[in-house]
Amino acid sequence: MLQDPRPIAITAAEAPVRTKPSNYPAPFAARMVGREKRPLGDLFGLTNFGVNLTRLSPNAVSALRHAHTKQDEFIYILQGHPTLYTDAGKTTLAPGMCAGFKAGTGNAHHLINETTEDVVYLEVGDRTSGDSGHYPDDDLQALLVAGAWQFVHKDGTPY
């Protein structure tokens, strides 16, 4: 019997950092400086949803402000006081607070660390096929094709 190479349990902060800092095309990828993701779900072979332990340095952003058509998302703040920006405005979060973003609502969101201390949070999202991401502040759309994100301009031309 072959032994499963995946761990039974780990210390999340010791998980390897994702090697590619961003999936966004240029010039958007450069805006993710100061964001560090540790893909926890992948370490355990999870395929239905993803879990990341994410650290934002001061002035870093979690993502471009976006909304998903089919993917629910959830965040839980472990450390620091990020500002959550949504279509409703901004909300300062604190450790122990959480927020959820239901798929298909069009409510675009992201976090910005506007403090001088690091922010650490868990992010959870499902991996529903056929999902797409919309970015109201940028000339960008994301399409989930065969498990990989493909980015195009709002007019559909590829990057």
Side-chain angles (χ1 to χ4, degrees):
M1 178 179 188
L2 294 176
Q3 189 168 20
D4 190 338
R6 293 182 286 254
I8 299 298
I10 63 163
T11 300
E14 295 174 2
V17 174
R18 186 170 77 179
T19 55
K20 187 176 181 185
S22 174
N23 291 329
Y24 293 131
F28 305 108
R31 292 168 49 189
M32 297 303 107
V33 170
R35 180 186 76 177
E36 177 184 273
K37 289 185 180 235
R38 296 174 189 275
L40 303 177
D42 292 349
L43 288 175
F44 299 102
L46 304 182
T47 57
N48 293 328
F49 64 93
V51 181
N52 294 310
L53 178 64
T54 304
R55 177 178 302 277
L56 298 178
S57 300
N59 301 309
V61 299
S62 62
L64 301 176
R65 199 168 71 88
H66 68 285
H68 288 273
T69 58
K70 294 188 177 183
Q71 181 186 121
D72 289 338
E73 291 180 283
F74 176 86
I75 59 167
Y76 181 83
I77 307 302
L78 298 167
Q79 173 187 322
H81 296 84
T83 303
L84 170 63
Y85 284 85
T86 67
D87 291 347
K90 63 182 188 174
T91 304
T92 301
L93 303 179
M97 293 180 77
C98 58
F101 311 101
K102 180 155 180 52
T105 65
N107 186 13
H109 55 275
H110 71 164
L111 297 173
I112 300 178
N113 182 0
E114 299 174 325
T115 73
T116 59
E117 304 293 325
D118 283 356
V119 166
V120 179
Y121 63 97
L122 285 173
E123 57 186 13
V124 181
D126 69 64
R127 294 177 172 167
T128 303
S129 63
D131 187 25
S132 62
H134 301 277
Y135 300 83
D137 305 330
D138 297 288
D139 180 21
L140 188 68
Q141 292 186 83
L143 309 170
L144 188 58
V145 179
W149 287 106
Q150 294 181 2
F151 294 94
V152 297
H153 292 272
K154 287 183 178 174
D155 68 5
T157 58
Y159 274 93

